[in-house]
Amino acid sequence: MYKIAMTFRSSRRDLGKVALGGALGALLAPQKLHATVHPNAPGIKLCAQSGATPTDEQLVFLKQIGAEYVSVGAPPEMRTAEGFLAIKKRYADAGITVWNVGNTSVHNMQEVTLNLPGRDQKIEEYKQYIRNLGKAGILYTTYAHMGNGIWSSGRATVRGASGREFDMASPNKAGAWDGKTWKEPLSHGREFTKEEIWENFTYFIKQVAPVAEENSVRIGIHPDDPPVPVLAGVPRCIFGNFAGYKRALEIANSPNVGICLCCGTWLEGGKVLTGKDPEEMIRYFGAKKIWKIHFRNVSAPLPHFIETLMDDGYYDMSKIMKALRDVHFDGIVILDHSPNLLGGNYAQTAYGFAYMRALLR
């Protein structure tokens, strides 16, 4: 029986057994024998994106649409084990399970990706975040390894709704994350090499993977958005293509490090840049390594795309849901960025989850 949950608020980011083929088996074989990853209840879970302190009305809405799981973002004052437990209890009292509590301060760290001053302090902050999640019994988190944020060039109209746009030819394109913005030609004053990005990832993941294992927390790594090979002097060489993910998981060598497959981001790159489409990624890595799906469609691959309603993009989203079913996926599928509809979050939720639920069934 599939578990169904719905979304209250559309935003970003934020195991059944499967037989491993030869390629994936070779990838996973050398992992530490002492480390184990917690099991999930079986079934695809459609998950809600909601707030840390939902109102009674919002909880009623989630119950009305059948929500069973939520992913939330924690404000600074609640980024402790006690804060996470309070968030968890608020939803549990309404019969809803908190799957993930995000922390924008450590979700995407330029200090770590680019080895900037403060890198070791940010890594220690991330380790404590993982420990806090473990103490609260929240056993999944998403991480992004982007040096200069998520890039956009403006907004465009999609069936009368406003959606995010990115155009490589636009002089207005810029990256943004957690109140910071970056622009071309060089977001950090110089060009970085691919080797630097790989070295910085290795330095980070070798320190945090053991902490994740000790606390039974899974880390799903989000693709670079958009997966342009280089933006403002910063290569996006690891999490913008299949080969990069494969090598990164080999470096991590941990059952607690896997993938948050943002299908919208992957479709932005297209198969030419990414090497595999979303369905192929799911079938290759399977439920053993893909733990969260961001469900989003876009108008076309790079160099120019607009985020669309799910039935209005260039990719057949039913292929994603079918692949998840075939590999016995038991993580969460959650709405990602979505064009703004009249009626706001409730309308976006109603549209998006009706579509996802129909595909699931």
Side-chain angles (χ1 to χ4, degrees):
M1 184 72 179
Y2 288 126
K3 301 270 187 184
I4 303 294
M6 302 296 163
T7 252
F8 162 67
R9 188 172 64 192
S10 175
S11 74
R12 162 80 54 193
R13 1 279 176 257
D14 179 278
L15 285 180
K17 295 181 179 178
V18 56
L20 295 175
L24 183 53
L27 168 62
L28 302 177
Q31 292 181 340
K32 306 173 186 70
L33 296 178
H34 71 273
T36 58
V37 67
H38 71 275
N40 291 333
I44 298 171
K45 303 162 185 70
L46 303 186
C47 182
Q49 182 73 27
S50 192
T53 55
T55 65
D56 290 343
E57 179 186 82
Q58 289 163 359
L59 290 173
V60 169
F61 175 75
L62 290 170
K63 288 184 70 68
Q64 287 177 344
I65 57 178
E68 296 180 34
Y69 302 93
V70 291
S71 178
V72 307
E77 66 275 13
M78 299 187 78
R79 292 170 183 171
T80 62
E82 294 74 20
F84 295 164
L85 283 167
I87 294 170
K88 188 176 177 180
K89 184 179 186 303
R90 173 64 170 158
Y91 281 99
D93 289 345
I96 299 169
T97 298
V98 173
W99 192 268
N100 172 47
V101 177
N103 176 350
T104 55
S105 177
V106 293
H107 174 80
N108 191 18
M109 300 174 282
Q110 60 174 333
E111 297 90 345
V112 171
T113 306
L114 302 179
N115 187 15
L116 302 179
R119 172 172 72 165
D120 289 337
Q121 292 93 325
K122 293 301 288 187
I123 291 175
E124 290 305 316
E125 183 184 351
Y126 189 86
K127 290 179 183 177
Q128 188 57 48
Y129 165 61
I130 295 296
R131 295 186 189 105
N132 290 340
L133 288 175
K135 289 177 182 177
I138 298 166
L139 304 181
Y140 173 83
T141 184
T142 299
Y143 169 73
H145 197 68
M146 289 178 276
N148 49 21
I150 299 167
W151 283 64
S152 305
S153 59
R155 307 288 294 183
T157 301
V158 180
R159 283 193 344 218
S162 173
R164 168 190 170 223
E165 180 177 25
F166 178 81
D167 187 348
M168 280 294 295
S170 173
N172 299 319
K173 62 181 181 294
W177 182 258
D178 200 22
K180 302 180 182 69
T181 59
W182 298 274
K183 293 186 177 182
E184 293 181 321
L186 299 175
S187 63
H188 290 79
R190 72 174 179 91
E191 294 183 353
F192 293 79
T193 66
K194 294 180 180 179
E195 290 73 21
E196 286 181 280
I197 305 302
W198 277 108
E199 288 170 4
N200 297 338
F201 169 74
T202 302
Y203 183 85
F204 167 74
I205 206 67
K206 288 296 186 182
Q207 294 189 61
V208 303
V211 179
E213 292 171 10
E214 291 163 8
N215 291 274
S216 196
V217 174
R218 302 183 192 212
I219 300 172
I221 304 178
H222 190 286
D224 295 341
D225 187 2
V228 178
V230 180
L231 271 174
V234 176
R236 298 191 162 205
C237 53
I238 305 180
F239 302 109
N241 59 82
F242 163 73
Y245 262 108
K246 185 174 181 294
R247 179 181 170 189
L249 296 183
E250 290 170 346
I251 290 170
N253 189 27
S254 171
N256 289 66
V257 178
I259 300 170
C260 166
L261 182 60
C262 176
C263 295
T265 301
W266 216 245
L267 294 172
E268 293 165 11
K271 195 168 179 179
V272 171
L273 287 179
T274 64
K276 290 185 182 294
D277 71 11
E279 178 190 7
E280 292 170 324
M281 285 287 287
I282 292 165
R283 295 190 185 280
Y284 181 88
F285 287 107
K288 189 75 174 181
K289 279 297 176 185
I290 295 181
W291 301 328
K292 181 182 181 184
I293 297 290
H294 281 169
F295 211 75
R296 172 163 62 91
N297 212 341
V298 298
S299 60
L302 288 162
H304 177 210
F305 67 81
I306 302 167
E307 294 180 339
T308 68
L309 297 165
M310 285 178 286
D311 64 325
D312 202 29
Y314 81 88
Y315 194 75
D316 179 359
M317 302 297 281
S318 69
K319 293 163 64 175
I320 295 171
M321 200 67 79
K322 183 178 187 300
L324 293 174
R325 182 196 65 190
D326 290 349
V327 302
H328 305 292
F329 179 76
D330 59 8
I332 57 171
V333 180
I334 189 167
L335 283 172
D336 196 25
H337 307 161
S338 179
N340 299 331
L341 301 180
L342 292 176
N345 291 325
Y346 289 136
Q348 289 168 233
T349 297
Y351 166 83
F353 274 87
Y355 189 81
M356 289 200 302
R357 189 169 188 171
L359 290 183
L360 181 60
R361 294 215 165 162

